[in-house]
mmCIF file of all heavy atoms in Angstrom:
data_model
loop_
_atom_site.group_PDB
_atom_site.id
_atom_site.type_symbol
_atom_site.label_atom_id
_atom_site.label_comp_id
_atom_site.label_asym_id
_atom_site.label_seq_id
_atom_site.Cartn_x
_atom_site.Cartn_y
_atom_site.Cartn_z
ATOM 1 N N VAL A 17 -4.841 40.147 -31.738
ATOM 2 C CA VAL A 17 -6.012 39.699 -30.893
ATOM 3 C C VAL A 17 -5.747 38.396 -30.249
ATOM 4 O O VAL A 17 -6.059 38.240 -29.037
ATOM 5 C CB VAL A 17 -7.301 39.716 -31.681
ATOM 6 C CG1 VAL A 17 -7.297 38.659 -32.849
ATOM 7 C CG2 VAL A 17 -8.468 39.418 -30.801
ATOM 8 N N SER A 18 -5.163 37.414 -30.911
ATOM 9 C CA SER A 18 -4.923 36.076 -30.321
ATOM 10 C C SER A 18 -3.932 36.161 -29.179
ATOM 11 O O SER A 18 -3.946 35.346 -28.274
ATOM 12 C CB SER A 18 -4.514 35.080 -31.335
ATOM 13 O OG SER A 18 -3.279 35.433 -31.962
ATOM 14 N N LEU A 19 -2.968 37.107 -29.305
ATOM 15 C CA LEU A 19 -1.970 37.279 -28.239
ATOM 16 C C LEU A 19 -2.479 38.038 -27.086
ATOM 17 O O LEU A 19 -2.109 37.771 -25.947
ATOM 18 C CB LEU A 19 -0.759 38.042 -28.869
ATOM 19 C CG LEU A 19 0.066 37.341 -29.993
ATOM 20 C CD1 LEU A 19 1.060 38.287 -30.602
ATOM 21 C CD2 LEU A 19 0.780 36.109 -29.404
ATOM 22 N N ALA A 21 -5.918 38.527 -26.102
ATOM 23 C CA ALA A 21 -7.055 38.019 -25.382
ATOM 24 C C ALA A 21 -6.662 37.111 -24.234
ATOM 25 O O ALA A 21 -5.815 36.266 -24.360
ATOM 26 C CB ALA A 21 -7.982 37.215 -26.368
ATOM 27 N N TYR A 91 -20.476 37.833 -31.578
ATOM 28 C CA TYR A 91 -19.411 37.080 -31.089
ATOM 29 C C TYR A 91 -19.811 35.628 -31.006
ATOM 30 O O TYR A 91 -20.833 35.286 -30.420
ATOM 31 C CB TYR A 91 -19.073 37.572 -29.654
ATOM 32 C CG TYR A 91 -17.708 37.290 -29.155
ATOM 33 C CD1 TYR A 91 -16.860 38.312 -28.608
ATOM 34 C CD2 TYR A 91 -17.157 35.975 -29.188
ATOM 35 C CE1 TYR A 91 -15.637 38.007 -28.154
ATOM 36 C CE2 TYR A 91 -15.863 35.740 -28.696
ATOM 37 C CZ TYR A 91 -15.123 36.762 -28.181
ATOM 38 O OH TYR A 91 -13.878 36.442 -27.717
ATOM 39 N N TYR A 170 -12.405 38.914 -36.595
ATOM 40 C CA TYR A 170 -11.469 38.092 -35.792
ATOM 41 C C TYR A 170 -11.817 36.585 -35.956
ATOM 42 O O TYR A 170 -13.012 36.254 -35.972
ATOM 43 C CB TYR A 170 -11.503 38.400 -34.342
ATOM 44 C CG TYR A 170 -11.130 39.743 -33.884
ATOM 45 C CD1 TYR A 170 -11.655 40.318 -32.757
ATOM 46 C CD2 TYR A 170 -10.155 40.519 -34.600
ATOM 47 C CE1 TYR A 170 -11.302 41.619 -32.320
ATOM 48 C CE2 TYR A 170 -9.797 41.803 -34.206
ATOM 49 C CZ TYR A 170 -10.394 42.351 -33.039
ATOM 50 O OH TYR A 170 -9.995 43.606 -32.604
ATOM 51 N N GLU A 171 -10.786 35.773 -36.054
ATOM 52 C CA GLU A 171 -10.971 34.334 -35.924
ATOM 53 C C GLU A 171 -9.661 33.809 -35.293
ATOM 54 O O GLU A 171 -8.572 33.900 -35.921
ATOM 55 C CB GLU A 171 -11.220 33.676 -37.277
ATOM 56 C CG GLU A 171 -11.304 32.170 -37.190
ATOM 57 C CD GLU A 171 -11.596 31.452 -38.534
ATOM 58 O OE1 GLU A 171 -11.879 32.198 -39.515
ATOM 59 O OE2 GLU A 171 -11.474 30.260 -38.618
ATOM 60 N N PHE A 172 -9.739 33.275 -34.132
ATOM 61 C CA PHE A 172 -8.496 32.829 -33.446
ATOM 62 C C PHE A 172 -8.878 31.720 -32.424
ATOM 63 O O PHE A 172 -9.923 31.657 -31.880
ATOM 64 C CB PHE A 172 -7.784 33.998 -32.734
ATOM 65 C CG PHE A 172 -8.554 34.594 -31.547
ATOM 66 C CD1 PHE A 172 -8.368 34.188 -30.279
ATOM 67 C CD2 PHE A 172 -9.468 35.589 -31.781
ATOM 68 C CE1 PHE A 172 -9.022 34.746 -29.182
ATOM 69 C CE2 PHE A 172 -10.173 36.175 -30.703
ATOM 70 C CZ PHE A 172 -9.960 35.750 -29.412
ATOM 71 N N THR A 173 -7.879 30.832 -32.301
ATOM 72 C CA THR A 173 -8.018 29.678 -31.376
ATOM 73 C C THR A 173 -7.043 29.869 -30.256
ATOM 74 O O THR A 173 -5.904 30.189 -30.480
ATOM 75 C CB THR A 173 -7.802 28.370 -32.089
ATOM 76 O OG1 THR A 173 -8.766 28.199 -33.134
ATOM 77 C CG2 THR A 173 -7.974 27.208 -31.120
ATOM 78 N N THR A 174 -7.531 29.643 -29.007
ATOM 79 C CA THR A 174 -6.690 29.868 -27.845
ATOM 80 C C THR A 174 -5.964 28.546 -27.497
ATOM 81 O O THR A 174 -6.304 27.478 -27.947
ATOM 82 C CB THR A 174 -7.527 30.296 -26.647
ATOM 83 O OG1 THR A 174 -8.349 29.178 -26.254
ATOM 84 C CG2 THR A 174 -8.426 31.482 -27.034
ATOM 85 N N ASP A 178 -10.418 26.862 -27.420
ATOM 86 C CA ASP A 178 -11.661 27.460 -27.838
ATOM 87 C C ASP A 178 -11.400 28.330 -29.062
ATOM 88 O O ASP A 178 -10.328 29.011 -29.115
ATOM 89 C CB ASP A 178 -12.225 28.368 -26.685
ATOM 90 C CG ASP A 178 -12.641 27.599 -25.492
ATOM 91 O OD1 ASP A 178 -12.771 26.402 -25.561
ATOM 92 O OD2 ASP A 178 -12.836 28.233 -24.391
ATOM 93 N N THR A 179 -12.312 28.315 -30.000
ATOM 94 C CA THR A 179 -12.145 29.176 -31.159
ATOM 95 C C THR A 179 -13.131 30.361 -31.095
ATOM 96 O O THR A 179 -14.362 30.118 -30.870
ATOM 97 C CB THR A 179 -12.336 28.384 -32.464
ATOM 98 O OG1 THR A 179 -11.390 27.294 -32.491
ATOM 99 C CG2 THR A 179 -12.144 29.302 -33.722
ATOM 100 N N HIS A 180 -12.627 31.575 -31.267
ATOM 101 C CA HIS A 180 -13.440 32.768 -31.152
ATOM 102 C C HIS A 180 -13.559 33.501 -32.488
ATOM 103 O O HIS A 180 -12.576 33.569 -33.248
ATOM 104 C CB HIS A 180 -12.771 33.733 -30.140
ATOM 105 C CG HIS A 180 -12.675 33.180 -28.725
ATOM 106 N ND1 HIS A 180 -13.360 33.740 -27.677
ATOM 107 C CD2 HIS A 180 -11.961 32.157 -28.212
ATOM 108 C CE1 HIS A 180 -13.089 33.029 -26.595
ATOM 109 N NE2 HIS A 180 -12.253 32.059 -26.893
ATOM 110 N N TYR A 181 -14.746 34.023 -32.753
ATOM 111 C CA TYR A 181 -15.006 34.758 -33.974
ATOM 112 C C TYR A 181 -15.759 36.100 -33.579
ATOM 113 O O TYR A 181 -16.597 36.070 -32.692
ATOM 114 C CB TYR A 181 -15.949 34.012 -34.958
ATOM 115 C CG TYR A 181 -15.491 32.647 -35.290
ATOM 116 C CD1 TYR A 181 -15.690 31.568 -34.431
ATOM 117 C CD2 TYR A 181 -14.839 32.374 -36.557
ATOM 118 C CE1 TYR A 181 -15.323 30.297 -34.736
ATOM 119 C CE2 TYR A 181 -14.469 31.086 -36.863
ATOM 120 C CZ TYR A 181 -14.737 30.028 -36.032
ATOM 121 O OH TYR A 181 -14.306 28.797 -36.346
ATOM 122 N N LEU A 182 -15.405 37.171 -34.271
ATOM 123 C CA LEU A 182 -16.159 38.461 -34.007
ATOM 124 C C LEU A 182 -16.356 39.162 -35.303
ATOM 125 O O LEU A 182 -15.486 39.255 -36.125
ATOM 126 C CB LEU A 182 -15.336 39.292 -33.060
ATOM 127 C CG LEU A 182 -15.980 40.597 -32.678
ATOM 128 C CD1 LEU A 182 -15.851 40.896 -31.202
ATOM 129 C CD2 LEU A 182 -15.317 41.784 -33.477
ATOM 130 N N ARG A 404 -13.380 36.179 -23.534
ATOM 131 C CA ARG A 404 -11.990 36.565 -23.209
ATOM 132 C C ARG A 404 -11.950 38.091 -22.934
ATOM 133 O O ARG A 404 -12.607 38.850 -23.571
ATOM 134 C CB ARG A 404 -11.110 36.270 -24.446
ATOM 135 C CG ARG A 404 -10.936 34.769 -24.657
ATOM 136 C CD ARG A 404 -9.808 34.245 -23.775
ATOM 137 N NE ARG A 404 -9.864 32.761 -23.644
ATOM 138 C CZ ARG A 404 -8.792 32.072 -23.482
ATOM 139 N NH1 ARG A 404 -7.582 32.642 -23.460
ATOM 140 N NH2 ARG A 404 -8.837 30.772 -23.319
ATOM 141 N N VAL A 407 -10.912 41.639 -25.820
ATOM 142 C CA VAL A 407 -11.291 41.490 -27.203
ATOM 143 C C VAL A 407 -12.134 42.753 -27.557
ATOM 144 O O VAL A 407 -11.955 43.307 -28.682
ATOM 145 C CB VAL A 407 -12.041 40.193 -27.463
ATOM 146 C CG1 VAL A 407 -12.441 40.152 -28.957
ATOM 147 C CG2 VAL A 407 -11.174 39.043 -27.122
#
Side-chain angles (χ1 to χ4, degrees):
V17 62
S18 63
L19 295 169
Y91 202 130
Y170 296 150
E171 178 180 349
F172 64 96
T173 299
T174 69
D178 294 345
T179 302
H180 297 246
Y181 306 81
L182 181 135
R404 292 276 163 147
V407 177

